[in-house]
Amino acid sequence: MSFIWVILLLIVSNVFMTFAWYGQLKLPEWVPGSKDWPLIAIIVLSWCVALFEYSFMIPANRFGSRVNGGPFSLIQLKVIQEVVSLTVFTVICITVFKTETFHWNHFVAFGCLIAAVFFAFI
C-alpha cells in the first residue's frame, strides 16, 4: 500500500513544482502589476512555492526507497517521478495555460515513457 502513498506524494510534489517553474508565466494574469516585478522577486516567489514541492518530494523518496524499506529501487523511483512530472505538467499545461496542443509526437513520447517504466521494473 505504501506505493500508492508514494505516487500520491509525487503527484502533489509535481503540481507544486510545475507552478514553481512555470506559474510565473501566468502571474501577470493572476496578480495585476506583477509583470513589472524584478526577476529576483519572481525567483523568491518560485522558491517559496518550491518549498512545498520539497515537503512532498522528500517524504515520497524516503518512504518509497528500498533503502528505507520502501517498495522501489532508486532507479525505479526516478523513472516514476519523471513520468509523474511529465504527466502533471501536461495536464496543467493543457488545463491552466491552454497554450499547447497535443500532437502525434507527444503521444509517441509518452509511449516511450511507458516503455521506460516497463523496462525499469523488469
Side-chain angles (χ1 to χ4, degrees):
M1 198 58 165
S2 65
F3 72 94
I4 292 174
W5 284 110
V6 170
I7 301 299
L8 290 174
L9 287 168
L10 288 173
I11 290 170
V12 173
S13 165
N14 279 281
V15 167
F16 281 110
M17 188 48 86
T18 299
F19 280 104
W21 286 2
Y22 302 103
Q24 49 90 16
L25 298 173
K26 291 289 266 187
L27 197 59
E29 291 178 35
W30 297 334
V31 180
S34 62
K35 188 172 180 112
D36 299 324
W37 289 4
L39 182 58
I40 190 68
I42 301 298
I43 291 169
V44 170
L45 177 64
S46 292
W47 279 352
C48 291
V49 175
L51 174 65
F52 291 101
E53 184 266 343
Y54 276 83
S55 298
F56 290 95
M57 179 63 76
I58 300 303
N61 287 326
R62 191 159 182 86
F63 300 143
S65 173
R66 285 189 188 144
V67 172
N68 291 318
F72 305 116
S73 71
L74 291 178
I75 293 171
Q76 290 171 333
L77 264 175
K78 184 59 181 172
V79 170
I80 292 168
Q81 191 278 328
E82 292 299 330
V83 170
V84 168
S85 176
L86 287 171
T87 303
V88 167
F89 172 79
T90 300
V91 169
I92 290 174
C93 188
I94 290 171
T95 60
V96 175
F97 290 90
K98 300 176 184 172
T99 58
E100 303 294 325
T101 57
F102 258 103
H103 300 286
W104 69 269
N105 57 319
H106 300 127
F107 289 106
V108 172
F110 275 109
C112 291
L113 288 171
I114 292 167
V117 171
F118 171 77
F119 285 112
F121 280 85
I122 61 170

